[in-house]
Amino acid sequence: MNKQVKAFIFAIVVALGGFVFGLDAAVISGTVGFVTEQFGLSELQVGILVSSPAFGVLFALLAAGPLCNKIGRKKTLIIIAGMYWISAVTSALAPNYIGLVCARILGGLAFTSITVSAMYIGEIAPPKWRGKLVSVNQMNIVLGLTAAYFVNYLLVKATDTEAAWAVKLNMEQHIWRYMLGSEIVPALVWLVALFFVPESPRWLVYRGRIEEAKLIMHRITSDDEIGEQIAAMEESLHRGDEELSAMSQIKELCHKRMRIAVIVAIIISIAQQLSGINAILFYAPTVFEQLGGGTNTAFQQTVWVGLVSVVFTLAAILLVDKLGRRPMILFGLLWVMVSHLICAYGFKTATYTLSPEAVQELPAEVDSAALVPMVGKTFDSDIAFKDALIEVLGAEPARTHAAAIIAESASMNAGLILGGILSFIAAFHFSIGPLMWVLFSELFPTSLRGVAIPFFALVSSTISAAVQFMFPWQLANMGGTSIFLFYAIVGAAGCAAIWPFLPETKNLSIEEIQLQLEKKTL
């Protein structure tokens, strides 16, 4: 087998971690309603459950770098894959709410698979394939998200149609466990496959294990290039030992010549997460239930989210070096704003009326008699309607049956709102989603990335956790109009804030980018 093909295969195996991450991150979206009903959760408890992996990754980000340097990339990836698998098993078997949260936090500790996978691929992939293979890692994340939506939809459909296999597995009672358990096999496959990839030669050189590095290089590199590459690694690492101490990097980041880079990184870190992407991705069925189509329709619509994500992520990968970073990001933020304004308008013009005929169509477990005071009344917002439901049914029954009752009561342009949501998904994955990571790798010189990228990833992850935690409460207390209007304002503010500072980095070397940024120094 060609040596470069071997390196390609090793990189692809490691990139499977992106798929497992996407699957783990999105599969929880389908379980929200079922877990809420089984454990009687409040909005804040739901927020804690969904955001628990995001809080877990905050700690993991601090440990991943030192662990990679101490025990190696391969062993770190194996530990991460093991945590994914254990998290999937314990999530599916969780006996109670606390157990489920703890299992999901463990999965969050493994979310560093994104950065560690990218690190390994960058160090082992042939130069001409390096960019594409790192991009494959990003694409695998989106494919994992899409797979999660497909799995959730198929399980719900099988349960609703009483498919023989679903009845045999008692799917109706344990559907959320099967959703979470769908990650077990992919995580196990990735875990086993990692034992067959070699350690990163660069890490072996870093640890002074030159002969071991040469043996691996013989498997993936032409023999006449090994000596030169090993020498280059040693020179680079020696230079890094002098220049890349954590304190030196922090001092350098605070220098005025890095001011523009830091400003851009902070703005895009905040704007990316406050745009509402994880509110949509992690609560997709819950969001679509607000459109009045019912639970089954909501799960079907989540599949469109996954497909749109794949198409526009691929478009971003193909076009970023042609269109440039600056126009794609600025246009993307404006696109985000317009998409959310469409959604806000759709919810603003919606009304909710529970007719006598609609009451008869509700599931038998809904207390129809308690709904009599609401019959014939028209509510001009989802918040007013939900408050009335809580008043007549009580908080827990209202949360449990809200989707079914909204499906029979809502009068809105659901197609318009659905189009707005899918437009936002497209805008995000075409611009600020993947391009934030591209900018992080370009704005900062190699000597500062060890501190800069983890720090801004931490900023992004912290905001992501807050968004996931607060969204159920926001949906219950602010309503669709206010939520999407807020996200639209974030898009506009992000575009206005980054406009004066964002450089065009297309086709520029790291050194040329640094010179351009220094000319812009405030």
Side-chain angles (χ1 to χ4, degrees):
M1 185 185 295
N2 182 282
K3 292 184 177 183
Q4 288 195 331
V5 173
K6 287 184 180 179
F8 181 87
I9 292 173
F10 294 147
I12 289 294
V13 168
V14 171
L16 290 174
F19 179 87
V20 178
F21 164 80
L23 184 64
D24 187 281
V27 75
I28 191 68
S29 66
T31 71
V32 169
F34 304 109
V35 173
T36 298
E37 182 176 358
Q38 178 159 344
F39 295 134
L41 306 183
S42 67
E43 285 84 8
L44 290 181
Q45 286 176 313
V46 172
I48 291 171
L49 172 62
V50 174
S51 64
S52 53
F55 285 107
V57 78
L58 299 182
F59 297 99
L61 280 170
L62 301 175
L67 191 63
C68 280
N69 288 338
K70 185 174 181 61
I71 68 172
R73 282 48 162 157
K74 177 179 176 177
K75 289 181 181 178
T76 302
L77 284 167
I78 289 173
I79 291 172
I80 287 172
M83 288 194 294
Y84 272 131
W85 185 79
I86 294 171
S87 172
V89 172
T90 53
S91 294
L93 299 177
N96 50 44
Y97 170 71
I98 297 298
L100 183 55
V101 169
C102 291
R104 294 294 296 164
I105 290 175
L106 179 62
L109 293 175
F111 277 14
T112 50
S113 59
I114 307 173
T115 54
V116 180
S117 295
M119 181 189 301
Y120 180 95
I121 293 169
E123 294 177 354
I124 201 168
K128 67 177 182 179
W129 289 341
R130 185 175 296 129
K132 289 184 175 61
L133 286 172
V134 172
S135 297
V136 165
N137 198 43
Q138 176 68 27
M139 178 57 73
N140 274 352
I141 293 172
V142 178
L143 290 174
L145 293 169
T146 305
Y149 295 138
F150 267 107
V151 167
N152 289 346
Y153 169 62
L154 292 175
L155 292 177
V156 168
K157 185 177 180 181
T159 302
D160 185 57
T161 58
E162 297 184 347
W165 63 271
V167 173
K168 185 176 180 180
L169 293 173
N170 196 19
M171 190 76 71
E172 186 174 1
Q173 295 296 319
H174 303 294
I175 185 170
W176 66 269
R177 297 185 185 277
Y178 285 101
M179 289 177 175
L180 295 173
S182 65
E183 185 190 342
I184 293 174
V185 172
L188 183 60
V189 168
W190 188 46
L191 173 61
V192 173
L194 286 173
F195 282 94
F196 296 93
V197 303
E199 182 54 84
S200 162
R202 186 177 182 86
W203 179 78
L204 291 170
V205 172
Y206 168 74
R207 301 296 292 183
R209 294 156 60 175
I210 307 299
E211 293 306 314
E212 292 179 59
K214 288 180 179 179
L215 288 174
I216 292 173
M217 295 289 284
H218 276 296
R219 299 170 62 185
I220 61 176
T221 305
S222 299
D223 291 347
D224 57 352
E225 297 179 1
I226 293 176
E228 181 181 344
Q229 290 191 22
I230 292 289
M233 290 179 191
E234 289 182 300
E235 181 183 354
S236 173
L237 292 169
H238 176 70
R239 186 170 62 249
D241 287 340
E242 296 177 352
E243 299 175 1
L244 295 184
S245 70
M247 187 56 65
S248 297
Q249 291 182 63
I250 292 171
K251 289 180 179 178
E252 185 66 18
L253 276 177
C254 296
H255 196 282
K256 65 179 182 180
R257 64 173 165 267
M258 295 305 303
R259 193 170 297 163
I260 297 297
V262 170
I263 289 173
V264 170
I266 288 177
I267 292 172
I268 198 168
S269 297
I270 295 173
Q272 192 212 50
Q273 292 301 326
L274 280 186
S275 69
I277 186 61
N278 284 334
I280 303 299
L281 294 182
F282 286 68
Y283 294 96
T286 304
V287 172
F288 288 128
E289 283 177 351
Q290 311 308 306
L291 307 188
T295 299
N296 291 342
T297 300
F299 274 89
Q300 185 177 18
Q301 289 166 340
T302 63
V303 174
W304 285 104
V305 171
L307 294 176
V308 170
S309 300
V310 170
V311 170
F312 282 88
T313 298
L314 180 60
I317 291 171
L318 295 176
L319 295 175
V320 64
D321 289 324
K322 296 180 180 179
L323 300 180
R325 285 65 158 155
R326 178 179 170 87
M328 287 178 67
I329 289 174
L330 295 177
F331 172 71
L333 286 168
L334 292 175
W335 188 359
V336 165
M337 177 193 70
V338 172
S339 301
H340 285 318
L341 286 176
I342 291 171
C343 296
Y345 174 79
F347 277 107
K348 180 66 175 177
T349 56
T351 59
Y352 304 81
T353 304
L354 190 60
S355 66
E357 295 77 17
V359 173
Q360 299 301 315
E361 296 296 326
L362 293 175
E365 55 267 25
V366 178
D367 186 356
S368 300
L371 294 172
V372 171
M374 292 180 61
V375 173
K377 292 184 179 180
T378 298
F379 299 86
D380 59 4
S381 75
D382 52 339
I383 289 299
F385 185 71
K386 291 175 183 177
D387 286 344
L389 283 179
I390 292 173
E391 185 175 344
V392 299
L393 292 179
E396 188 172 327
R399 280 194 297 270
T400 301
H401 302 299
I405 299 173
I406 289 175
E408 297 294 336
S409 309
S411 176
M412 64 171 65
N413 191 338
L416 179 70
I417 301 175
L418 176 61
I421 292 173
L422 294 180
S423 175
F424 163 61
I425 296 296
F428 181 88
H429 285 99
F430 185 72
S431 59
I432 55 175
L435 294 193
M436 181 181 81
W437 300 103
V438 174
L439 278 183
F440 283 178
S441 68
E442 295 177 333
L443 290 175
F444 302 102
T446 305
S447 60
L448 299 184
R449 292 181 194 173
V451 163
I453 294 178
F455 172 76
F456 292 110
L458 186 64
V459 172
S460 178
S461 297
T462 302
I463 297 172
S464 172
V467 169
Q468 294 171 50
F469 171 66
M470 290 301 299
F471 184 73
W473 180 90
Q474 288 177 307
L475 194 61
N477 294 276
M478 294 173 59
T481 302
S482 298
I483 290 173
F484 283 104
L485 184 58
F486 170 75
Y487 292 149
I489 292 172
V490 169
C495 184
I498 207 170
W499 189 294
F501 307 111
L502 181 63
E504 178 51 72
T505 58
K506 182 182 69 171
N507 298 329
L508 298 179
S509 68
I510 298 298
E511 291 73 24
E512 289 171 333
I513 293 171
Q514 296 310 307
L515 289 174
Q516 187 181 120
L517 291 173
E518 288 178 17
K519 291 178 182 178
K520 287 176 169 278
T521 299
L522 298 176

